[in-house]
Amino acid sequence: MSRIAIDGGQLNVVQQGTGKPLLLVHGFPLDHQMWQGQLDGLSRKFRVIAPDLRGFGQSSEASGPLAMSRLADDLASLLDRLEIVQPVAVAGLSMGGYVALEFWNRHAGRLSHLILCDTRAEADSEHVAQTRFQTAEDVLAAGASSLVEAMVPKLFSLETQRQRPELVLATEQVMRLTNPETIAAALRGMAGRLDATSWLCRIQVPTLVLCGEDDVISSVDEMKAMAHGIPGSTFVPIPAAGHLAPLENPKRVNEAFQRFLTA
Ligand code: MLT
């Protein structure tokens, strides 16, 4: 684990393995630990880099809204600091997928492969954005408990919730430890994100779209439509997994990553 200085703060970064760099971007409100199965399983072939985004995990606190563009620029700064000049593979889950799309938008030349997991290209509707603003206020006033309780059942498949309560609890713990200021800033950042739908047909890097078959946040149908919009992309459904497919079924996710990245 190391701490890397970026504009106005420090990112906590876990790196494992050598080889082609694979940068993993976590979802909301989580940290690098959601990628443990990929750090363990893919570092035999790749240099796996899993940062905590600004304000999350053990990275330093965030001030101001966490725009997806700002988080994407942080990743570019991180690559600069790590002296990685060759194009890298970037995988993002959900909010991490919004950041990965912004990374493509702003730093396409630094990208060799794009992996979009359980995410979407559309911006928030007015209603969803308003709900996020209200949730941000609630979290600042009363803490993250109600957000965490509402979110956790949607993150995992029913199977995972029944059979792996320890995984669910560990994830819940990460969410509860996230600073309310960061949660509010990220909610506002997501509410203001750009609609990436019109970008999809212009994505020219090889792209893998992956979705837990039981994802109730970003559905298989939505993800399939997203893959359909990206020329030449590959869509892989992940069985026995909900929204946090890489955490719930690392074996199938790692197989899909490896097949895609070594094709
Ligand atoms: C996530 O898992 O990162 C969130 O579900 C993203 C979102 O709230 O849009």
Side-chain angles (χ1 to χ4, degrees), residues 4-34:
I4 308 286
I6 50 152
D7 172 37
Q10 290 195 322
L11 292 188
N12 180 53
V13 185
V14 174
Q15 292 190 75
Q16 214 165 298
T18 53
K20 183 177 168 47
L22 168 62
L23 179 60
L24 302 176
V25 192
H26 63 77
F28 166 85
L30 302 173
D31 69 8
H32 74 275
Q33 295 177 78
M34 61 148 286

Side-chain angles (χ1 to χ4, degrees), residues 239-253:
H243 190 59
L244 296 184
L247 187 61
E248 297 179 75
N249 195 343
K251 183 170 179 291
R252 292 296 281 269
V253 168

Side-chain angles (χ1 to χ4, degrees), residues 27-28 93-95 98 120 132 151 155 190 217 243:
F28 166 85
L93 179 130
S94 201
M95 181 185 78
Y98 311 154
R120 62 171 54 87
R132 288 203 205 266
M151 258 191 104
L155 293 179
M190 286 192 284
I217 296 179
H243 190 59

Side-chain angles (χ1 to χ4, degrees), residues 50-78:
D52 293 339
L53 294 172
R54 187 185 282 268
F56 291 91
Q58 292 169 52
S59 289
S60 57
E61 283 168 27
S63 59
L66 283 180
M68 301 300 105
S69 53
R70 187 179 182 204
L71 296 175
D73 289 351
D74 284 349
L75 296 179
S77 301
L78 171 65

